[in-house]
Amino acid sequence: DAKTTQPNSMESNEEEPVHLPCNHSTISGTDYIHWYRQLPSQGPEYVIHGLTSNVNNRMASLAIAEDRKSSTLILHRATLRDAAVYYCILSLRGNSGGSNYKLTFGKGTLLTVNP
Amino acid sequence: GAGVSQSPSNKVTEKGKDVELRCDPISGHTALYWYRQSLGQGLEFLIYFQGNSAPDKSGLPSDRFSAERTGGSVSTLTIQRTQQEDSAVYLCASSQSGIMQYFGPGTRLTVL
């Protein structure tokens, strides 16, 4: 399984941008890069995903290196509600059909947002 | 709209008892996943259902674990003869495309 490496923790100030890095040097050509986050006592929440090109949505931006061996999740203006564990995951297309994107979660990055 | 719901939210049981955990996915989502999260650990994939296809059971840790999905909607995860190491939060997720997964709040299982 292709693995990801993330810093254990990061700190930011409210209303400042946050750049969360992820290394995935063994990524394969068909692996999608997913980001989820988990707030305390809640299930994970989808943030964004991408394959090769940079992606933007209402929550965040995903910048993917040209060689795809690393990516960065960008929160443009951190809020207190963004404090969570952020997981960078490579999808592993498993058995039982073409839409099985079972996710293997690592330890993630604990983001603290200071007021 | 309604998200993924799971019941019960908390379950305390005695070692050796059987438990059933329920997941109601988002209406219209054909893919359904079960994961578990042990204390201080990341999420671990358990099983995947997609329509009428054979489920991917590759993540089930032992034959004490089983799951079914009736009518392509509600799913039940059953753990027989529970052990203390089964204590965890069990999470269900559903998806329309497979890529964007929507998680429920989880069931916290405590085996005494």
Side-chain angles (χ1 to χ4, degrees), chain B residues 4-86:
Chain B
V4 177
S5 61
Q6 293 186 244
S7 61
S9 55
N10 280 286
K11 176 72 176 178
V12 180
T13 190
E14 294 179 346
K15 179 181 171 181
K17 301 276 190 183
D18 297 351
V19 295
E20 283 191 354
L21 312 179
R22 177 186 169 108
C23 171
D24 283 86
I26 294 172
S27 177
H29 281 190
T30 57
L32 187 148
Y33 302 78
W34 282 97
Y35 296 86
R36 75 174 176 180
Q37 187 169 30
S38 303
L39 187 63
Q41 301 295 315
L43 275 79
E44 172 190 14
F45 166 80
L46 296 178
I47 189 169
Y48 161 80
F49 295 92
Q50 171 67 48
N52 294 320
S53 301
D56 176 1
K57 304 179 182 179
S58 61
L60 295 178
S62 77
D63 59 8
R64 296 186 295 105
F65 288 71
S66 63
E68 62 178 22
R69 189 178 184 192
T70 54
S73 181
V74 171
S75 177
T76 302
L77 177 69
T78 301
I79 308 173
Q80 295 178 311
R81 305 181 303 280
T82 52
Q83 304 294 312
Q84 287 182 333
E85 61 262 29
D86 299 334

